[in-house]
């Protein structure tokens, strides 16, 4: 049996095609543009779907016997469709500034904790609901013509199968889902003048929507009778593809953005989890949830250093050279990695970065390691916040470009006092979608069985007590850095 997984991101989509035995058959990726202006950040949903068609066509020669296609995507971004299912406007990305005033007003009227107790999400303009409120107030003509509202994953599933459904983990990114009932909240939607029937039905992650439309299968050169599966939000797909399937485990996604995604059972202390602005998102097992601890400059910080400070843009050999040449012990420097604002637990878009501890003898290699340490310190801030809310992490599975640096993985293990395991693939998103789809179509009796086929843990980086003690002293100073810099900005 063959299974495919589609992972739709903000700049590109990719598909991976595998045998159910774990053998990779084909992969294909396509990029697409977004429109970025000061007043708007938008993307063409039809363009995304055409890119999905392109990658599916790109693997069609190896697709004989393909049983299922799983779809996973980034969250928040939605499309408004008229009665003919044609898009009425470009789609706002989560970085679009529209909805900021509406989010603030919603928080003032309802209270932060009331919104969080219903939706699992702290009010923020990145979510779908405040942007729908903006449309209701500023473009009522468009809202009046709107028949259906869909997010990226469910729109693609609809175009592939003709069925309208959205999985619960993606629905949670709207700030309009009742977390306890895992159904649309009429109370929240009323603020945007949206009726629940305008949205697709909410289903568990990994639910079959139906078979691929025959006309589309023929057009793309795919076999008929393929099951189209609603996967999950892309961060959860990355968890599944990394084998993070039990409470206590977490995915360490180290790409441009640094994200830790822990799995836990039961909804944690609501007040404490919201103090850190962490969303509570349904996981694939009943009664289990995840939260996203993230900030915007993980790998982006090192890329900035390479491109702007070292003047070596695009030089793929740079990181390997610096990894080999940097000092092997803690630098003692403090780098606050808020170069693009702060993510959790502060959610402060106005936050600024800082480098403290420069000396006349500081080298480029010292600064490079200090940036890695700064990212690790910020991860520790988040893990301590999560622990106070009852979300404990006893192991991390590392994926993304940063997982290629053994030096960075050892720094993280030492700073966090937590073992970190590498993986054999960077494509955790498509693998997670494949594991979900394989389970949905009967190839695997459980997600755990599917993970045993696809997830191949590598080297484990254990924390070193003597280095941890040094980092504890430095971290005690780092914890005060955000507030100190904030008062000067």
């Amino acid at each position: 049996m063959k299974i495919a997984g589609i992972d739709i991101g903000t700049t590109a989509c990719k598909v991976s095609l595998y045998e159910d035995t774990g053998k990779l058959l084909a992969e294909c990726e396509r990029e697409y543009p977004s429109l970025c202006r000061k007043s708007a950040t938008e993307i063409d949903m039809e363009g995304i779907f055409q890119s999905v068609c392109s990658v599916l066509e790109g693997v069609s020669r190896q697709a004989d016997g393909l049983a299922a296609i799983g779809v996973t995507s980034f969250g928040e971004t939605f499309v408004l469709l008229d009665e003919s299912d044609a898009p009425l406007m470009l789609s706002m990305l989560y970085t679009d500034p529209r909805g900021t005033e509406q989010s603030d007003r919603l928080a003032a009227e309802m209270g932060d904790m009331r919104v969080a107790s219903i939706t699992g999400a702290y009010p923020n303009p990145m979510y779908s609901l405040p942007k729908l409120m903006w449309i209701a107030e500023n473009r009522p003509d468009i809202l009046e013509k709107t028949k259906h509202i869909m997010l990226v994953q469910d729109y693609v599933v609809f175009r592939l199968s003709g069925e309208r459904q959205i999985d619960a983990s993606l629905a949670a990114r709207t700030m309009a889902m009742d977390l306890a009932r895992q159904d649309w909240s009429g109370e929240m939607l009323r603020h945007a003048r949206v009726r629940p029937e305008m949205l697709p039905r909410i289903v568990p992650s990994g639910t079959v929507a139906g078979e691929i439309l025959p006309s589309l299968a023929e057009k793309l050169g795919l076999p008929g009778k393929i099951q189209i599966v609603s996967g999950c939000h892309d961060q959860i797909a990355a968890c599944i593809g990394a084998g993070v399937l039990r409470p206590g485990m977490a995915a360490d996604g180290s790409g441009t953005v640094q994200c830790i995604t822990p799995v836990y059972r039961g909804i944690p202390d609501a007040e404490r989890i919201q103090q850190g602005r962490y969303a509570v998102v349904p996981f694939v097992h009943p009664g289990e949830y995840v939260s996203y601890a993230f900030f915007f400059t993980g790998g982006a910080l090192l890329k900035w250093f390479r491109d702007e400070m070292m003047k070596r843009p695009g030089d793929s050999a740079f990181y390997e050279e610096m990894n080999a040449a940097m000092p092997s012990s803690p630098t003692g420097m403090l780098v606050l990695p808020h170069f693009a604002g702060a993510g959790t637990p502060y959610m402060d878009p106005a936050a600024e970065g800082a480098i403290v501890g420069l000396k006349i003898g500081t080298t480029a290699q010292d600064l490079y390691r200090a940036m890695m340490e700064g990212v690790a310190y910020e991860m520790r801030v988040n893990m301590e916040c999560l622990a106070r809310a009852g979300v404990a992490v006893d192991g991390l599975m590392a994926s993304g470009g940063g997982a290629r640096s053994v030096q960075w993985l050892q720094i993280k293990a030492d700073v966090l006092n937590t073992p970190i395991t590498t993986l054999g693939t960077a494509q955790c998103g498509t693998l997670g979608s494949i594991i979900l789809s394989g389970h949905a179509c009967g190839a695997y009796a459980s997600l755990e069985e599917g993970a045993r086929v696809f997830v191949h843990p590598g080297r484990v980086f254990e924390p070193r007590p003597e280095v941890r003690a040094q980092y504890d002293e430095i971290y005690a100073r780092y914890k005060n850095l955000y507030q100190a810099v904030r008062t000067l900005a």
Side-chain angles (χ1 to χ4, degrees):
M1 181 187 297
K2 297 177 182 178
I3 310 166
I6 300 172
D7 185 12
I8 305 170
T10 54
T11 60
C13 67
K14 60 180 74 77
V15 64
S16 299
L17 177 64
Y18 277 80
E19 292 276 6
D20 61 2
T21 57
K23 179 183 177 182
L24 175 64
L25 299 174
E27 289 186 312
C28 189
E29 182 171 352
R30 293 287 185 274
E31 294 184 356
Y32 33 76
S34 57
L35 179 63
C36 298
R37 305 188 303 274
K38 186 175 182 179
S39 60
T41 309
E42 299 171 317
I43 198 163
D44 178 13
M45 196 71 77
E46 177 63 24
I48 290 178
F49 179 69
Q50 292 305 320
S51 296
V52 168
C53 289
S54 179
V55 296
L56 287 173
E57 194 170 16
V59 300
S60 60
R61 291 185 179 181
Q62 291 84 21
D64 182 49
L66 178 59
I69 298 173
V71 183
T72 186
S73 79
F74 67 101
E76 299 89 40
T77 298
F78 58 88
V79 61
L80 304 179
L81 303 174
D82 65 15
E83 59 183 11
S84 301
D85 290 317
L88 288 163
M89 61 181 289
L90 291 174
S91 297
M92 302 180 196
L93 287 169
Y94 64 92
T95 50
D96 193 298
R98 288 171 290 182
T100 300
E101 178 185 337
Q102 288 72 21
S103 177
D104 292 344
R105 188 171 69 245
L106 187 67
E109 291 176 358
M110 292 187 64
D112 295 338
M113 288 306 299
R114 174 61 180 164
V115 173
S117 67
I118 296 171
T119 69
Y122 189 91
N124 191 286
M126 72 177 173
Y127 293 117
S128 314
L129 186 71
K131 298 188 187 306
L132 286 167
M133 291 170 64
W134 184 93
I135 291 171
E137 295 168 17
N138 294 274
R139 295 302 307 271
D141 57 316
I142 288 182
L143 188 61
E144 186 177 347
K145 297 175 185 176
T146 299
K147 178 74 172 178
H148 296 287
I149 303 170
M150 308 188 85
L151 273 67
V152 180
Q153 174 217 83
D154 45 300
Y155 178 71
V156 170
V157 166
F158 166 68
R159 292 291 299 272
L160 292 175
S161 69
E163 296 295 323
R164 302 181 198 270
Q165 65 179 38
I166 183 172
D167 94 281
S169 69
L170 194 66
R173 304 305 293 169
T174 63
M175 208 173 78
M177 185 186 81
D178 186 309
L179 182 65
R181 296 188 299 111
Q182 295 193 20
D183 199 359
W184 299 116
S185 167
E187 179 180 353
M188 298 303 299
L189 289 175
R190 278 194 294 274
H191 290 273
R193 305 171 203 167
V194 169
R195 302 181 306 279
E197 59 266 26
M198 297 168 72
L199 293 152
R201 69 182 183 278
I202 299 176
V203 298
S205 301
T207 296
V208 174
E211 292 183 355
I212 190 170
L213 296 171
S215 59
L216 185 61
E218 182 179 2
K219 177 183 176 182
L220 300 180
L222 296 172
K225 306 296 184 182
I226 298 172
Q227 299 292 312
I228 304 300
V229 180
S230 296
C232 54
H233 185 224
D234 56 6
Q235 293 294 346
I236 289 186
C239 273
I240 299 168
V244 176
L245 290 168
R246 64 164 178 81
M249 296 183 70
D252 167 24
S254 187
T256 300
V257 172
Q258 174 69 50
C259 184
I260 306 171
T261 309
V263 178
Y264 50 88
R265 177 165 290 282
I267 298 176
D269 184 308
E271 184 173 350
R272 288 186 179 275
I273 202 78
Q274 289 306 322
Q275 285 176 354
R277 311 299 197 266
Y278 300 109
V280 179
V281 181
F283 194 50
V284 290
H285 296 139
E288 293 182 358
Y289 300 85
V290 302
S291 288
Y292 305 135
F294 68 93
F295 47 99
F296 305 107
T297 46
L301 192 62
L302 302 185
K303 183 178 183 296
W304 168 82
F305 181 68
R306 181 195 70 180
D307 295 352
E308 302 300 328
M309 298 294 100
M310 302 301 290
K311 304 301 181 184
R312 292 175 60 176
D315 187 344
S316 58
F318 173 80
Y319 301 118
E320 186 175 346
E321 292 174 12
M322 295 298 288
N323 285 337
M326 72 181 186
S328 58
S329 57
T331 65
M333 298 169 63
L334 302 178
V335 175
L336 187 67
H338 297 167
F339 285 45
T344 56
Y346 312 111
M347 293 305 290
D348 180 3
E352 297 179 350
I355 302 173
V356 178
L358 290 169
K359 299 178 180 179
I360 197 69
T362 300
T363 67
Q365 291 76 19
D366 293 331
L367 189 51
Y368 181 81
R369 181 182 177 100
M371 289 181 175
M372 289 184 167
E373 292 171 339
V375 170
Y377 295 143
E378 195 74 355
M379 291 172 67
R380 182 167 170 180
V381 168
N382 277 281
M383 288 179 63
E384 289 181 351
C385 286
L386 288 166
R388 287 194 292 270
V391 179
V393 174
D394 55 32
L396 290 164
M397 303 295 284
S399 64
R404 299 188 186 101
S405 171
V406 297
Q407 293 86 354
W408 204 357
L409 291 173
Q410 188 61 63
I411 288 170
K412 289 179 178 179
D414 292 335
V415 170
L416 303 175
N417 197 31
T418 303
I420 300 180
T421 303
T422 60
L423 298 165
T425 179
Q427 302 294 349
C428 290
T430 55
L431 283 186
S433 187
I434 286 169
I435 292 168
L436 270 174
S437 302
H439 176 44
C441 68
Y444 314 112
S446 65
L447 296 178
E448 288 74 12
E449 181 182 324
R452 285 193 290 271
V453 173
F454 289 99
V455 182
H456 306 292
R459 179 178 171 183
V460 179
F461 291 82
E462 297 284 354
R464 299 169 296 177
E466 68 282 2
V467 181
R468 162 72 178 196
Q470 296 178 61
Y471 276 131
D472 282 347
E473 295 182 7
I474 303 168
Y475 177 70
R477 293 188 288 121
Y478 178 85
K479 286 193 296 184
N480 301 315
L481 189 57
Y482 166 71
Q483 292 297 341
V485 172
R486 196 72 178 92
T487 60
L488 298 173

